[in-house]
Amino acid sequence: MSASQQDLKKKAKTFLDAHPDVKFVDAFLSDLNGVLRGKRLPAKQALKIFDNGLRLPRSLIGVDIWGYDVMANGLVLETGDVDGLCYPAGAGLLPAPWSGGDAAQIMLMMGDEDGGPFHADPRQLLIDMQARLAEAGLRPVAAMELEFYLLSRKTDELGRPLLPARNATRRRIGDARMYAISELDNFGGFFADLYAACEAQGLPLGAAIVEGGAGQFEVNLMHQPDAVAAADQAVLFRRTVKGVANKHQLIASFMAKPFGDLAGNGLHVHMSMLNDKGENVFAGDDDSGSEMLHQAVAGLLAAAPEAMIFLAPHLNSYRRFQDASHAPTSLTWGYENRTASIRIPNDGPANRRFEFRIAGADANPYLLMASLLAGALHGAQNKLTPPAATEGNAYEADAPKVPTAWNDAIDAFAQGKILAPLFGDLFTRVYTALKQQELQKANERVTDFEYDTYLQAF
C-alpha cells in the first residue's frame, strides 16, 4: 500500500471511529459517461478497500448510458470480463450528508490486475493529460461552473418533467427571474443544505445564481491548482446536488436540454496555466494576454470538432446549440464576449484565463478537462495562432460552426489527428464503441413527436 493510500486509510478510520452511526459506504467510480457505478458496502468492510482494492469488471467503465455491456469494445467476451482493481482516489472516505448520517462515500479509480493504470478509466486519462502538461513545464489551474434545473417529482400526463412550486406561493414556477435574490430565497432551504453538505466534503463552492431558465440555477466551484482535483469536485458536486434535492422532495437534473423552449444546462471551465515558478503564463504585458494564451486558444479551437463528443456526449446534448441561446454556435473567441465559444474575462493579468463555454452540464468532467488540456497543449507545442478575436454577436460571425450532429462528433474523434493519438488506442476504441452503440439504440427508438405527427397523418 502506497504512502498516500496509508494516509487515506488512516483518515477513513478516524472518520468511521468518530461517526459510529455510519452503517454503509458507497464505493464508486465514474464510467465514461460520468455515471457513478460501484457497490454499497457495510461500513466495517470499507477499510479493506484501502488494503486490497475493490474488484469491479473492467467492462464497467465502458457500459452504455443504460448500463448495458458494449460488446464491441473488447473488454467483455475477449477478456472473460476480467476484473480491474479499484482503489480510493481523491479525498478518500467522505460523508454523504444528505443520507441522514448512516452513509459515507469513497471515490475510486480503476487499475489493471497487475496494479498498473487502466487507460480506459476517464480519471486516469485526465491524470495522463496533466502529466503531459507537466512535462512541458505547465500546471493548469481550473474551476468549473455547473448549471442545473430543480424539478418537481410530479410529471405531466405524458411523463414529462414539471417545474417545481415556489415555497412562498406554492404556485408552479413559470418564469426565469434571472439573478433574482428572491428566487434564491424561495429555495433557501435547499441551498443552505447544499452549501453545508459541500462544506462537509471539502467542496469549495463560490457563488450561486438564478440562471436563464425557470427553475434553473448555477453554482461555481472555486479554482484548484490541479485539474484532476477540479474534476473530482465537479463529480462529487453533481452527486451532492442530486442527493440534497431528493431530501427536499425535488429532482435535480444536469441534462443538457430538459426543455426545448428553455435554456440548456452548460458546464463552463475557467483555466489558467502556471509555469515552474508559479507564474501565470497567460498573463501578458497588457489586457490582450500572452502569446501562450493565444496559442492555447488556437489549440482549443482546432481540437474542438474532435472534442465535441466529450463536450456534447449525448443525443440530447445537441439541442443546446441554438442561436442567441448562450450556448455558442460558432468556433470563436473574444474578450468579455459570452456569445463566443471561448471568453477571455477582464480580470487583470494575474488572473488572466480563458472560459471555455461549449460543454453541457451532462459532460463527464474528467473527459471534458482532458480534452481541454490536450487542446491547449496542442496549441502551445505547435505555436498555433488563433483567428482574430470576435467582437459583438458571435452567432453572426463569419467563422466555422460548432458541430451539432451526434454521429459526426463520434466520427470526428475516432478519425481525428489531435485527440485520439494523445488519448491512446485503448481509450479511443472503448469510447467510440460506447457512443456507436448508444447512437444505434437511439436510431431504433421512435419518439412521441413522430407518433403525434405522422401516425394518423397518412
Side-chain angles (χ1 to χ4, degrees):
M1 182 166 48
S2 67
S4 61
Q5 288 293 313
Q6 290 176 354
D7 185 53
L8 289 178
K9 181 181 179 181
K10 182 179 178 180
K11 291 179 179 178
K13 186 177 186 306
T14 299
F15 176 86
L16 291 175
D17 289 344
H19 297 84
D21 291 338
V22 172
K23 306 301 182 187
F24 302 98
V25 172
D26 290 338
F28 55 80
L29 50 73
S30 169
D31 73 7
L32 289 173
N33 276 318
V35 176
L36 303 182
R37 302 187 188 275
K39 297 180 179 181
R40 176 163 293 179
L41 305 170
K44 60 185 179 182
Q45 297 181 15
L47 294 180
K48 296 179 181 179
I49 299 176
F50 296 89
D51 297 319
N52 305 317
L54 182 68
R55 289 183 174 274
L56 292 171
R58 289 196 314 170
S59 60
L60 191 64
I61 283 290
V63 296
D64 67 21
I65 193 69
W66 303 279
Y68 293 110
D69 279 325
V70 178
M71 296 302 181
N73 66 16
L75 297 179
V76 189
L77 300 180
E78 293 86 345
T79 69
D81 206 8
V82 66
D83 281 341
L85 274 178
C86 305
Y87 284 94
L93 182 68
L94 293 171
W98 58 87
S99 69
D102 65 347
Q105 56 182 337
I106 298 178
M107 181 182 291
L108 306 173
M109 186 170 70
M110 183 172 285
D112 274 328
E113 174 72 25
D114 62 4
F118 179 50
H119 292 287
D121 184 302
R123 191 176 189 274
Q124 182 63 54
L125 177 70
L126 178 54
I127 290 173
D128 294 343
M129 290 304 105
Q130 186 159 260
R132 286 179 179 267
L133 275 176
E135 291 172 0
L138 297 172
R139 177 162 57 91
V141 178
M144 294 189 177
E145 302 172 348
L146 293 99
E147 297 171 350
F148 59 92
Y149 275 89
L150 291 179
L151 305 171
S152 171
R153 285 185 171 180
K154 298 178 180 179
T155 61
D156 67 11
E157 63 278 5
L158 296 178
R160 295 175 298 199
L162 293 173
L163 295 169
R166 291 190 173 97
N167 288 339
T169 64
R170 310 312 304 168
R171 296 181 65 183
R172 201 170 300 284
I173 291 175
D175 45 33
R177 303 192 181 184
M178 185 182 292
Y179 281 82
I181 297 299
S182 61
E183 196 70 344
L184 293 174
D185 290 339
N186 279 317
F187 293 92
F190 165 82
F191 280 102
D193 285 349
L194 177 62
Y195 274 79
C198 287
E199 183 176 3
Q201 298 169 80
L203 303 181
L205 299 193
I209 64 169
V210 179
E211 262 294 346
Q216 187 188 33
F217 303 89
E218 178 188 89
V219 179
N220 300 341
L221 289 158
M222 303 298 288
H223 284 79
Q224 299 298 314
D226 182 327
V228 181
D232 284 344
Q233 291 172 357
V235 169
L236 291 172
F237 174 74
R238 290 201 302 201
R239 184 168 197 252
T240 304
V241 170
K242 287 179 170 293
V244 173
N246 186 60
K247 178 181 174 182
H248 285 263
Q249 307 300 309
L250 296 167
I251 294 172
S253 180
F254 293 86
M255 182 179 177
K257 192 75 169 177
F259 301 100
D261 58 346
L262 298 180
N265 286 322
L267 198 174
H268 301 157
V269 180
H270 290 250
M271 186 180 294
S272 57
M273 292 281 181
L274 305 182
N275 61 19
D276 292 335
K277 299 178 181 179
E279 301 165 332
N280 183 1
V281 300
F282 288 169
D285 297 331
D286 55 35
D287 289 342
S288 65
S290 69
E291 183 180 21
M292 180 70 78
L293 171 63
H294 298 160
Q295 291 172 354
V297 167
L300 291 168
L301 293 175
E306 297 179 24
M308 200 65 191
I309 195 58
F310 309 116
L311 314 178
H314 308 294
L315 174 64
N316 176 259
S317 305
Y318 294 86
R319 297 189 185 278
R320 281 183 61 240
F321 301 104
Q322 302 174 16
D323 286 347
S325 66
H326 283 292
T329 59
S330 63
L331 292 174
T332 53
W333 71 288
Y335 296 96
E336 275 300 342
N337 192 338
R338 286 185 169 87
T339 67
S341 291
I342 302 173
R343 166 180 168 253
I344 311 300
N346 290 337
D347 198 13
N351 296 321
R352 184 66 62 215
R353 64 190 186 275
F354 64 78
E355 178 193 18
F356 192 85
R357 298 177 56 83
I358 298 178
D362 58 341
N364 183 325
Y366 298 116
L367 301 184
L368 164 59
M369 195 72 80
S371 67
L372 297 189
L373 297 189
L377 181 63
H378 172 72
Q381 289 182 330
N382 293 281
K383 301 186 183 307
L384 300 184
T385 301
T390 297
E391 297 181 5
N393 187 355
Y395 293 106
E396 298 177 350
D398 182 16
K401 294 299 181 182
V402 171
T404 56
W406 196 22
N407 58 325
D408 291 342
I410 298 170
D411 292 341
F413 167 66
Q415 300 168 17
K417 305 301 183 184
I418 300 173
L419 297 186
L422 283 173
F423 289 2
D425 292 341
L426 174 63
F427 178 88
T428 300
R429 183 187 80 231
V430 174
Y431 193 80
T432 301
L434 161 66
K435 289 299 153 185
Q436 287 173 338
Q437 178 163 306
E438 290 178 349
L439 174 63
Q440 179 182 349
K441 287 187 177 182
N443 287 338
E444 293 169 355
R445 182 71 61 89
V446 179
T447 66
D448 290 342
F449 174 83
E450 293 169 89
Y451 285 127
D452 293 341
T453 304
Y454 304 118
L455 187 63
Q456 298 187 56
F458 305 105

